[in-house]
Amino acid sequence: MQAAMRTFTTALAGLSLAISTADTQVPSDPRLLRPASYELAITVDLAEQQIDGMARIRLRNEHPEPVGEASLLLYRLLSVRAVRDSTGRPVQFQQSVVTFEDFTKLQVNHLRVALVPALGAGQETVLEIHYAGHVLGYAETGMAYIRDRVDTAYTLLREDSYAYPVVGYPSIRVRRRAGLPEYSYVARITVPATHSVANGGRLVERIEEGATTTFVYASAKPSWRMDFGIAPFGALRRGNLTVFHMAADSAGAGRIMDAMERTLGLYTRWFGPLRGDSPFAVIEIPDGWGSQADATSILQAAAAFRDPKREDELYHEISHLWNVRDTEGQSPRWNEGLATFLEDLATDSLYARATMDSTAIRYARWLSGRVQADSSLHTVPPADYGARNMTDWSYSVGSLMFYSLYRLVGHDAFSRIIGNFYRQYAGTGANTADFVRLAKQTSRTDLTAFFDDWLYSTRWTEVVSSAETSRDLYARYQP
Ligand SMILES: [Zn+2]
């Protein structure tokens, strides 16, 4: 999730100044439910530039206490017409367009649905939300990349613009604390027959009815977001891979497909085959709309279809297919460090280059400067970055950790560690301690001091600050 988290967290990071002064109205514990699954049915009227949607959401209470209200967010110009329970009975609700309490430029429709009786601990309920209206983006808030709209040229429906009901509370702080959800989905998106719908899930069905076509997609992996691009796409398919592209960019689409195949082949050789079939899609979006990724797809700005040098995002995202489900509540997200390091390793391997050492020392020098400027890097060990909202650092600090591990144990042992971890935990999920234990078992080099420095303490800051060459990052752990 390269661009995804970067865009999300960058958008949030930019807000931190505004947040610190104005969050007194946020209740100390808004009891947000967790979405377990979504069924979406959206009809897109391109001529009228509006959508008409239904979201049936299975919600779970993961709190120890009963919860009496479901809190959801929708785009400010989408209004709710009805809410029903699982039997189709109307349910009481309130909606009001409000501003985020700690981001006053961001307006949403805040939907509150009374749960009667309250939803007990560990219980689930289903709400069916009928809504309709317009989506015009959020560029005016300063989040310039959210240019999402409903339009014949290009339509984008995604979480960033609340184009479907998102479980949440109008507060950046609360949304951050809640972390990312994980759900399955089935989505039926109906569009004019001139257009098609691009999504990273499995295409279950395509129903043509006169002037419209309905695309039915089902999630292929647990997801934290749903993205739907709607345009007169061309689609290039090979095996499980799809590239959705605009007509003018078919040459770039072929190049991206080739790069995806090469990258999958490389990782399969190193880490072993993926379990089951793993569909993966690249979806072209207009320039400036913010490239990002979910579990099985990338929204990729048009520029990357025209510039062959932008392939490292693919190396990054495709490596995430070998990640196992993260069972930590507030994960330090070291997978992002691994994916960032694999951008360099894949580049060197595919293009017979040797850039990873120079990249590592360049990263180390940059981090060394950051360490001087940011005291939290001295006090919070990388294993706690999730709990302390510092996962932006997991990309850079984590990539140096994985670079050092790679140089310390060598290519074969490194590949075995990543591959064995995937094979052992792909079915169950795992946490950071599981990874450390498996790495120690797999490697013949004693990794205790290594992980103590790079994960469980802030001693990595001293290693980075004193390193004169890339070798200084890992040589101290060699037997
Ligand atoms: Zn990533």
Side-chain angles (χ1 to χ4, degrees):
M1 199 186 293
Q2 174 184 38
M5 277 318 288
R6 276 185 199 162
T7 312
F8 183 64
T9 48
T10 305
L12 299 185
L15 308 171
S16 52
L17 286 176
I19 291 170
S20 53
T21 52
D23 55 11
T24 47
Q25 293 171 51
V26 181
S28 60
D29 186 14
R31 293 182 174 273
L32 294 178
L33 303 171
R34 304 287 285 185
S37 67
Y38 273 83
E39 266 179 78
L40 272 188
I42 298 177
T43 299
V44 183
D45 186 338
L46 294 176
E48 295 298 322
Q49 303 193 328
Q50 61 188 16
I51 61 174
D52 191 322
M54 185 283 295
R56 192 177 292 123
I57 313 173
R58 190 154 51 87
L59 295 162
R60 184 183 302 144
N61 176 12
E62 293 184 352
H63 303 280
E65 305 290 328
V67 171
E69 184 181 274
S71 175
L72 299 110
L73 307 176
L74 265 171
Y75 187 69
R76 61 191 167 85
L77 300 176
L78 293 173
S79 66
V80 176
R81 286 197 311 249
V83 180
R84 301 183 195 284
D85 66 14
S86 59
T87 66
R89 269 196 307 256
V91 177
Q92 292 283 326
F93 67 93
Q94 293 180 342
Q95 62 181 328
S96 51
V97 174
V98 301
T99 59
F100 265 52
E101 277 158 320
D102 44 13
F103 184 13
T104 49
K105 287 179 180 171
L106 182 58
Q107 272 189 326
V108 286
N109 184 2
H110 187 198
L111 171 67
R112 301 161 71 172
V113 183
L115 302 174
V116 184
L119 191 64
Q123 290 189 331
E124 292 187 349
T125 190
V126 172
L127 291 179
E128 190 179 290
I129 298 159
H130 296 259
Y131 68 100
H134 307 277
V135 177
L136 287 173
Y138 274 128
E140 82 278 9
T141 65
M143 295 190 285
Y145 77 98
I146 310 181
R147 305 190 198 175
D148 309 9
R149 59 191 58 252
V150 180
D151 190 277
T152 48
Y154 198 100
T155 294
L156 188 58
L157 304 177
R158 60 178 165 177
E159 191 246 16
D160 308 62
S161 55
Y162 304 99
Y164 47 83
V166 172
V167 176
Y169 191 85
S171 155
I172 300 289
R173 198 180 67 166
V174 170
R175 291 214 59 201
R176 274 189 153 183
R177 201 170 51 207
L180 296 176
E182 195 172 70
Y183 53 78
S184 61
Y185 66 82
V186 176
R188 306 167 63 85
I189 314 289
T190 302
V191 299
T194 48
H195 285 60
S196 54
V197 179
N199 170 260
R202 206 179 307 281
L203 179 63
V204 179
E205 209 181 347
R206 188 191 149 122
I207 307 156
E208 292 176 19
E209 285 171 313
T212 64
T213 308
T214 298
F215 291 76
V216 184
Y217 282 101
S219 54
K221 276 190 163 186
S223 302
W224 66 279
R225 56 182 292 125
M226 297 179 272
D227 298 314
F228 306 98
I230 297 160
F233 285 119
L236 193 59
R237 289 200 170 83
R238 258 184 239 166
N240 280 321
L241 306 178
T242 309
V243 180
F244 295 97
H245 62 88
M246 305 305 284
D249 293 319
S250 61
R255 193 173 42 68
I256 284 174
M257 177 63 87
D258 290 343
M260 279 162 77
E261 277 197 317
R262 276 200 306 275
T263 312
L264 276 171
L266 189 68
Y267 293 155
T268 302
R269 222 164 45 240
W270 290 347
F271 309 138
L274 289 167
R275 279 160 48 109
D277 57 335
S278 297
F280 194 80
V282 173
I283 301 168
E284 183 172 0
I285 57 172
D287 275 327
W289 289 37
S291 297
Q292 38 181 207
D294 75 2
T296 54
S297 68
I298 312 179
L299 299 179
Q300 185 75 70
F305 282 72
R306 293 157 200 163
D307 179 3
K309 294 196 194 85
R310 300 277 292 270
E311 278 175 23
D312 41 351
E313 283 179 40
L314 283 177
Y315 308 156
H316 179 111
E317 301 302 342
I318 289 176
S319 83
H320 281 314
L321 294 175
W322 274 265
N323 292 164
V324 307
R325 192 170 58 80
D326 204 328
T327 56
E328 261 161 301
Q330 293 176 303
S331 165
R333 304 177 57 74
W334 47 264
N335 279 331
E336 297 300 349
L338 175 60
T340 305
F341 167 62
L342 287 173
E343 290 175 34
D344 292 329
L345 190 58
T347 305
D348 280 1
S349 180
L350 289 170
Y351 291 97
R353 284 188 215 148
T355 58
M356 75 163 92
D357 299 303
S358 54
T359 304
I361 194 65
R362 209 171 52 239
Y363 254 173
R365 293 202 176 113
W366 177 81
L367 266 172
S368 166
R370 305 302 302 166
V371 162
Q372 318 238 329
D374 190 332
S375 64
S376 63
L377 291 173
H378 289 289
T379 49
V380 180
D384 294 341
Y385 283 177
R388 301 291 297 276
N389 279 329
M390 286 174 63
T391 52
D392 276 3
W393 292 106
S394 301
Y395 292 83
S396 49
V397 180
S399 77
L400 270 192
M401 178 180 88
F402 281 103
Y403 163 79
S404 304
L405 179 64
Y406 181 86
R407 282 301 188 209
L408 184 58
V409 303
H411 182 86
D412 290 346
F414 181 86
S415 298
R416 268 201 311 281
I417 290 171
I418 307 303
N420 287 351
F421 185 64
Y422 172 71
R423 273 184 293 283
Q424 183 153 345
Y425 293 106
T428 57
N431 60 27
T432 304
D434 295 326
F435 176 74
V436 169
R437 192 170 49 248
L438 183 136
K440 286 179 176 175
Q441 282 164 5
T442 307
S443 163
R444 259 177 285 171
T445 310
D446 183 352
L447 297 176
T448 307
F450 174 80
F451 283 120
D452 282 351
D453 285 7
W454 284 92
L455 261 183
Y456 295 120
S457 76
T458 57
R459 273 193 298 275
W460 68 268
T461 59
E462 295 156 32
V463 177
V464 162
S465 300
S466 64
E468 286 175 10
T469 68
S470 56
R471 215 175 159 277
D472 296 334
L473 295 169
Y474 57 88
R476 65 183 64 213
Y477 309 109
Q478 285 169 332

